Amino acid sequence: MASYYNNETIIYLNGEFVKASEAKMDFYSQSLHYGYSVFEGIRSYRTVNDETKIFKAVEHFDRLKNSALAVNMPYHWTTDELIAATYEVLKKNNLGDAYIRPVVYAPANMSFVKNEQSFIVIEAWEMQPFLGDKLLRIMTSSFERPNPKGFKIEAKAAGHYVNSILASQEAKANGFDEALLKDMNGFVAEGPGANLFFEKDGKLVTPALGNILPGITRATVFEICKDLNIEVEEKFFTVDELKSADSAFFCGTAAEVIGFESLDDYKFPLEWSKTNSRRIQLAYKDLVVGNYKPLSTQREEAQSALSM
Ligand code: PMP
């Protein structure tokens, strides 16, 4: 089990930097009792310039705000102030490659009513690969993703993650690395903590929005595909269609881009190293450490070298 903090660890708690081991939260909060809180999962990377850089910081803190508002939690912070606080947490804990977890939670009151106030904590710890680096053996889950008519599915709300925990534990108990969940209509949705893409004849396909968390990494994969001239389609599709794909991968802040070996008893036939998915994985690895040169820039550089 990862060690998240020790006696020296500093967190940001409601405007102050305090020791994690001495921090307190309220046991009479509906965040604890009912999973009524919102959070983000963010990464920082030590870049090729030897700086610590939070990847897609604005996107993550904007989503934190939108998640809070979606579930009626007051939110009075600016993205800029929280990004500054997060850099300070990283500095105080001497972290470069880290996972960052802001959580917005409620004060004491368990009566379902709207809170007049919200609290925030920002924690960070050293990050190891989340799903590992080897190709994943995935199981189609018996659990469906939460119904968007019952939850604000686009919000990263803590309570949704009981569903993720159940699915992930079921897959692991059955000897798989991770689960893949369908939506309420029986179409492929996403993993417990990651979005999915599959590749067929060089083209990528990913579940359309509506029943999934709109991932920031998913959006980044779209950017990379645009640059690499790889076609991407968003649509609803079945597990059967996924089982005719050449390759597939999960993507998420923690998972990054990680390929599949198999889904249930279907083995993805194209060697990972020969897929466009692998090219995207490599581009993503470069992008997060500031080492990605868009193809257009590379072409311009090649042209100007030729004309010199
Ligand atoms: N789906 C779910 C259910 C998740 O928890 C995550 C992780 N936040 C993702 C997708 C991927 O989102 P992102 O790329 O923004 O990390």
Side-chain angles (χ1 to χ4, degrees), residues 60 63 145 156 161 190-195 213 215-217 251-253:
H60 281 285
R63 187 170 66 185
R145 284 296 288 157
K156 217 168 148 55
Y161 284 80
E190 59 189 331
N195 291 119
L213 185 82
I216 291 165
T217 319
C251 69
T253 300

Side-chain angles (χ1 to χ4, degrees), residues 1-14:
M1 199 56 92
S3 163
Y4 294 100
Y5 72 104
N6 60 32
N7 257 341
E8 306 309 314
T9 304
I10 301 291
I11 59 174
Y12 176 81
L13 185 63
N14 301 316

Side-chain angles (χ1 to χ4, degrees), residues 20 47 53 66 76 80 114 137-138 147 206 224 229 269 276:
T47 68
K53 186 102 202 292
N66 291 334
H76 63 266
D80 282 352
K114 224 171 145 168
R137 294 170 54 255
I138 302 294
N147 180 337
T206 194
I224 293 172
N229 246 322
N276 273 338

